[in-house]
Amino acid sequence: MPASSPFRVVFVCTGNICRSPMAEIVFRWFAESVGLGDRVVSTSAGTGDWHVGEPADPRTVEALERHGYDGRHHRARQFDFTDYERNDLVIALDRSHERNLRAWARSENDSDKVVLLRAFDPQTDDGLDVPDPYYAGPEAFDEVLAMIESACRALFRQLEPAIRSAG
């Protein structure tokens, strides 16, 4: 990674209105909170196109706001092949996304960028999937956000030394 190039990560879930926007925003917050916001680009996308152009689910925005994050400006988009080229990591929120992303990979390099978010979290003891809160109540969004915060914290701690030294 050239010194002038920020570290780029894209978080991927199904429709890009619940889990992946949370991860995008939380990961960016970790970078900004330690003065590395200009060295990290955090984005998100969905495997499907159902919600392209739409804001995050209102329950996502509310959960983020309850925890001090701003999700009001998010607009959903669909993952495409250029995301492999533009990003250093492609983070799947569950195993179905991971399977899709690996199947879509055009090269071993593309496939090597794909990893599950919770794989970074040593506190994970209930599986590697971040469950989809879409069909659940508001409390599920808070639970999912807590999982994402823990995993993003662990991911950022692992990447921070390399991000710092690249600047």
Side-chain angles (χ1 to χ4, degrees):
M1 171 169 69
S4 62
S5 179
F7 186 84
R8 297 178 179 276
V9 59
V10 59
F11 296 91
V12 183
C13 71
T14 306
N16 192 219
I17 60 169
C18 298
R19 294 170 286 178
S20 58
M22 285 181 180
E24 168 191 352
I25 290 163
V26 168
F27 189 78
R28 183 179 309 121
W29 183 89
F30 279 115
E32 290 171 354
S33 72
V34 296
L36 296 176
D38 61 333
R39 296 190 201 166
V40 172
V41 175
S42 176
T43 61
S44 63
T47 57
D49 65 356
W50 309 279
H51 300 288
V52 169
E54 293 178 15
D57 185 291
R59 297 166 297 173
T60 297
V61 174
E62 291 164 6
L64 286 164
E65 285 178 355
R66 279 192 296 275
H67 295 272
Y69 305 103
D70 183 0
R72 294 172 296 161
H73 304 290
H74 174 78
R75 293 297 175 266
R77 69 178 189 87
Q78 186 174 14
F79 184 89
D80 69 47
F81 294 113
T82 62
D83 282 304
Y84 290 110
E85 298 160 15
R86 287 192 307 244
N87 290 281
D88 299 294
L89 278 178
V90 177
I91 306 287
L93 275 286
D94 71 28
R95 285 175 284 211
S96 70
H97 308 129
E98 180 189 32
R99 279 191 299 276
N100 286 337
L101 293 164
R102 288 190 191 283
W104 296 341
R106 297 166 296 173
S107 68
E108 191 173 323
N109 187 48
D110 286 356
S111 185
D112 287 346
K113 292 180 178 185
V114 178
V115 65
L116 282 164
L117 176 60
R118 290 190 81 196
F120 293 97
D121 190 354
Q123 304 303 314
T124 298
D125 58 2
D126 58 350
L128 294 178
D129 288 347
V130 175
D132 188 351
Y134 187 77
Y135 294 104
E139 66 284 347
F141 284 77
D142 288 320
E143 292 167 12
V144 163
L145 180 55
M147 289 178 191
I148 288 171
E149 284 178 317
S150 182
C152 281
R153 180 180 298 108
L155 170 60
F156 187 75
R157 283 183 180 154
Q158 186 172 337
L159 295 173
E160 185 179 7
I163 293 169
R164 271 190 197 286
S165 66

